[in-house]
Amino acid sequence: MLCKPLLKATIKQNYIVFILILSILMLYLPIIITMYDPATQESLNQVLDMMPKGLIAAMGFSDIGASLVEFIGSYFYGFLILLLPMIYTIIICNRCIASHVDKGSMAYLLSTPNTRGKIAKTQAFFIILSTTIMIGIITLVGIILSNSYFPDLLDLKSFLLLNLGALLLYFAVTGIGFFASCQFNDTKNSLMLGAGLPVVFLVIQMISDVGDKTRFLKYFTLFSLYDTDKIIKGETYIPQFIALISIAVIMYSLAIYQFKKRDLPL
Amino acid sequence: MSIIEIDKLTKDYGDNKGIFDLTFEVKEGEVFGYLGPNGAGKTTTIRHLMGFLTPDKGSSQILGMDSRTRSAHIMKDLGYLPGEIAFFDGMKGFEFLNFMSEMKGLTDTSLRDKLVDMFQLDTRGKIRKMSKGMKQKIGIVCAFMHNPKVLILDEPTSGLDPLMQKTFTDLILEEKSKGKTILMSSHSFEEIERTCDRVAIIRQGQLVALENIHDLRKKRRKTYLVSFDSPSSAVEFKSSGNFHILDVNENTVKLSITGNITELIKALDGYNVIDLDTEKSSLEDIFMHYYSNCPN
């Protein structure tokens, strides 16, 4: 089903950027968690009240709640989780297919008894697996750190849902990136869609958070489907999660279908 | 039995680019030369054979299997050398060869090691830092290492020095003696004349000739440079008028002959000839009569 030598080579090709991005995330996560102080939470909110509301909101720091999960939810899952792993997924999505086609090394992969479908599925598997591992490590470290600094303060269910949502969001984002990678002949076009669209979504997300006048923009970004406030408060999140999964399934299937079908300039 | 069959293969990229209604076959045990100038459609044809492209019309088959839909099956018995060399980022030579062996499901590496020795390949360096010739050698080892029945080689000797070109020719002859079927493209006649049995010539995407190499040699037009002892001898030789004289420069006469040169040798008897040289002919010269109706 999968092409093991290729999977091995792809892991070897990408583990450094994986570790790099994960390290930056691991740098932020403990800082943010240790910053939480139930007592000073009130005063922090007062400080934030003095800053321009739009600016704070754009960074996803709005409505900093009193509980630990709300605190992590707005500081870490409001913005950092949208930006840093996205850099990783943009790089690997492009590298997995488009870069091989662009450089011509795909000719070597396809001159072996492996079908296009098998090669594309192997690369898709790598993207999904490595993204899951990244979010998984964040989840695990988040739980361990929270419990060692603030025993019994973390709302585990909300925290897990927060991470599940992030993971599903990344399935959808990498779906777009992987489709772009399979669809285009060169890195330039692959990145235009595969990196451009998620970045535009992120910017729209930031602008739509600024105030009521720009609120309507949330209908133009995929990231609206990942609403940390609603997840923590236990409001509706299941339809959003289903939407994200559907987007992921559609984009990955379309990507593999396109890659099997299209002409390759090798 | 034909191993490679191309039937009315057409891929139109517009602007007269592409390939049009190509039909030919390569028989078992044959070394087949595929000649044409740059941009004639050689690589486009090979891309179809490799299953990278879907034809607009027609079809191509290798070992009786459709080359587009069953390419993964075909690859078990096919060795391919791409025209442009590109490998994985940052892999070293031996890492790449190991990787390709695994991808091909190859367990016996004795042939690979033999080829590495044969081409005096140092596989320790990073591929990215290697010279074009070194990369080409890695590509060649990669194409031959799983002992395939069929070989498709896109401009195989580009980047190789003359010594390695000779080694490559020996390799082709050795594989031919084992009964392998080989299709190789080239833009130079010299490159393939020692190894090929038959030659197809393509121009602007259309097949203009499909010939046995011996017949082709007979039709081949070559330019000779004859140096006489004095300019007067040169003029005298020219005025004898039996040859197609291109140019007379002092004591040197430039003439072109198609096929047999017995007449020239007979005519030169009686003159004091200081030097007799052939001018390396370009593909266009060699296939002048195929190309003569070319608008360019």
Side-chain angles (χ1 to χ4, degrees):
Chain A
M1 193 57 196
L2 295 178
C3 178
K4 275 188 205 136
L6 178 61
L7 185 63
K8 230 167 65 186
T10 306
I11 291 171
K12 220 177 153 191
Q13 188 190 11
N14 293 303
Y15 78 96
I16 291 176
V17 56
F18 179 88
I19 289 173
L20 197 77
I21 297 288
L22 190 65
S23 316
I24 300 172
L25 284 163
M26 288 301 112
L27 212 68
Y28 273 108
L29 193 57
I31 293 173
I32 287 170
I33 291 175
T34 50
M35 252 165 58
Y36 178 70
D37 182 347
T40 59
Q41 199 52 42
E42 198 54 38
S43 56
L44 191 69
N45 275 340
Q46 283 168 1
V47 172
L48 285 178
D49 277 344
M50 290 190 288
M51 306 253 235
K53 271 218 157 49
L55 178 72
I56 303 296
M59 303 305 286
F61 294 158
S62 62
D63 196 23
I64 293 178
S67 75
L68 177 57
V69 76
E70 280 172 303
F71 184 82
I72 302 173
S74 54
Y75 272 103
F76 193 76
Y77 290 84
F79 184 68
L80 285 172
I81 199 81
L82 302 180
L83 182 71
L84 288 168
M86 196 166 87
I87 297 171
Y88 170 73
T89 61
I90 285 170
I91 294 171
I92 60 162
C93 282
N94 182 58
R95 272 189 188 169
C96 273
I97 301 281
S99 150
H100 284 305
V101 173
D102 194 1
K103 279 187 305 183
S105 45
M106 185 58 78
Y108 281 92
L109 301 182
L110 292 176
S111 72
T112 62
N114 296 289
T115 60
R116 287 191 198 184
K118 194 170 169 183
I119 284 169
K121 279 175 203 158
T122 305
Q123 301 296 67
F125 176 75
F126 167 77
I127 295 170
I128 292 172
L129 180 74
S130 67
T131 313
T132 309
I133 291 175
M134 186 176 278
I135 305 284
I137 291 174
I138 295 168
T139 313
L140 212 64
V141 172
I143 292 171
I144 292 170
L145 285 175
S146 301
N147 280 316
S148 54
Y149 284 104
F150 307 102
D152 299 329
L153 264 186
L154 186 73
D155 175 356
L156 194 63
K157 187 190 166 219
S158 295
F159 188 70
L160 286 175
L161 278 175
L162 216 49
N163 284 288
L164 178 65
L167 183 61
L168 297 180
L169 179 71
Y170 271 106
F171 285 169
V173 169
T174 54
I176 296 169
F178 188 63
F179 173 77
S181 194
C182 286
Q183 172 65 34
F184 295 110
N185 288 338
D186 45 44
T187 297
K188 194 184 71 189
N189 289 334
S190 153
L191 284 178
M192 200 116 84
L193 178 65
L197 199 57
V199 169
V200 167
F201 280 156
L202 185 61
V203 172
I204 294 176
Q205 161 85 8
M206 288 167 72
I207 298 171
S208 81
D209 278 346
V210 170
D212 288 335
K213 275 183 193 159
T214 55
R215 190 75 68 210
F216 71 96
L217 283 169
K218 71 176 184 183
Y219 297 109
F220 298 96
T221 167
L222 186 70
F223 292 163
S224 299
L225 293 173
Y226 179 60
D227 190 328
T228 52
D229 288 345
K230 281 188 179 168
I231 293 170
I232 294 167
K233 288 178 183 139
E235 292 171 29
T236 49
Y237 57 84
I238 289 168
Q240 285 91 322
F241 281 14
I242 290 171
L244 287 172
I245 293 172
S246 312
I247 292 169
V249 170
I250 291 167
M251 291 315 282
Y252 273 102
S253 315
L254 215 58
I256 292 168
Y257 172 79
Q258 268 304 90
F259 184 66
K260 275 187 190 165
K261 202 190 68 171
R262 77 188 188 93
D263 283 351
L264 297 171
L266 298 171
Chain B
M1 183 197 157
S2 46
I3 298 292
I4 299 174
E5 277 183 271
I6 293 179
D7 184 32
K8 299 192 186 69
L9 196 68
T10 302
K11 184 83 179 175
D12 191 350
Y13 288 119
D15 267 346
N16 276 330
K17 294 223 162 55
I19 50 175
F20 305 95
D21 220 19
L22 281 184
T23 301
F24 63 83
E25 53 178 43
V26 183
K27 298 190 195 79
E28 185 164 13
E30 193 173 41
V31 180
F32 190 87
Y34 196 43
L35 282 178
N38 294 330
K42 302 187 295 281
T43 302
T44 306
T45 313
I46 288 175
R47 284 173 181 165
H48 279 95
L49 288 174
M50 292 301 294
F52 300 157
L53 302 176
T54 309
D56 292 343
K57 267 184 278 173
S59 66
S60 56
Q61 294 197 325
I62 297 176
L63 295 164
M65 290 177 272
D66 184 84
S67 64
R68 176 65 185 88
T69 54
R70 304 201 59 202
S71 68
H73 263 271
I74 294 169
M75 295 310 157
K76 284 180 189 151
D77 295 307
L78 189 139
Y80 172 55
L81 175 69
E84 279 168 44
I85 314 282
F87 304 101
F88 264 63
D89 284 334
M91 270 196 189
K92 289 182 178 154
F94 67 90
E95 286 172 337
F96 180 71
L97 290 176
N98 285 340
F99 168 66
M100 287 303 287
S101 302
E102 284 178 36
M103 289 290 284
K104 291 180 184 195
L106 191 67
T107 44
D108 179 10
T109 58
S110 56
L111 180 60
R112 186 183 84 194
D113 301 337
K114 197 187 124 197
L115 287 163
V116 168
D117 277 351
M118 190 172 173
F119 284 96
Q120 298 163 17
L121 189 59
D122 181 359
T123 58
R124 284 168 302 179
K126 290 226 174 197
I127 294 178
R128 201 162 9 122
K129 304 233 166 90
M130 287 182 183
S131 68
K132 186 163 189 307
M134 287 290 274
K135 288 182 187 167
Q136 189 72 12
K137 288 179 191 176
I138 287 188
I140 291 171
V141 172
C142 216
F144 286 83
M145 68 184 181
H146 56 304
N147 199 20
K149 286 184 200 150
V150 189
L151 285 146
I152 293 181
L153 313 168
D154 198 353
E155 311 211 346
T157 57
S158 72
L160 296 185
D161 61 42
L163 197 68
M164 283 302 145
Q165 287 190 15
K166 169 84 173 51
T167 308
F168 177 76
T169 305
D170 294 343
L171 177 64
I172 293 289
L173 293 174
E174 190 189 322
E175 293 293 305
K176 187 177 169 179
S177 70
K178 288 188 205 158
K180 302 292 177 65
T181 308
I182 303 171
L183 182 145
M184 52 196 260
S185 81
S186 177
H187 50 74
S188 113
F189 188 80
E190 281 81 7
E191 187 174 293
I192 59 162
E193 90 175 300
R194 268 163 296 172
T195 48
C196 288
D197 304 305
R198 279 201 309 148
V199 172
I201 300 163
I202 181 173
R203 175 172 67 81
Q204 293 186 349
Q206 276 164 336
L207 202 65
V208 285
L210 188 61
E211 302 229 26
N212 186 298
I213 193 87
H214 303 292
D215 297 340
L216 202 59
R217 263 205 203 111
K218 278 184 208 148
K219 291 181 188 169
R220 182 180 181 191
R221 191 188 289 264
K222 252 183 165 174
T223 305
Y224 293 86
L225 291 166
V226 188
S227 299
F228 296 95
D229 54 351
S230 67
S232 60
S233 306
V235 173
E236 192 189 329
F237 177 80
K238 188 193 173 190
S239 58
S240 70
N242 294 325
F243 299 98
H244 180 62
I245 309 280
L246 299 171
D247 188 26
V248 180
N249 184 7
E250 300 215 350
N251 58 343
T252 304
V253 176
K254 192 173 170 182
L255 62 134
S256 88
I257 295 176
T258 308
N260 201 315
I261 61 161
T262 318
E263 287 304 310
L264 174 66
I265 292 169
K266 277 183 186 162
L268 288 176
D269 191 24
Y271 288 98
N272 195 357
V273 179
I274 295 168
D275 192 19
L276 176 62
D277 202 1
T278 56
E279 206 168 66
K280 201 160 186 179
S281 36
S282 69
L283 190 66
E284 281 74 7
D285 291 335
I286 296 164
F287 304 111
M288 198 69 90
H289 74 279
Y290 295 116
Y291 282 64
S292 54
N293 51 357
C294 170
N296 309 330

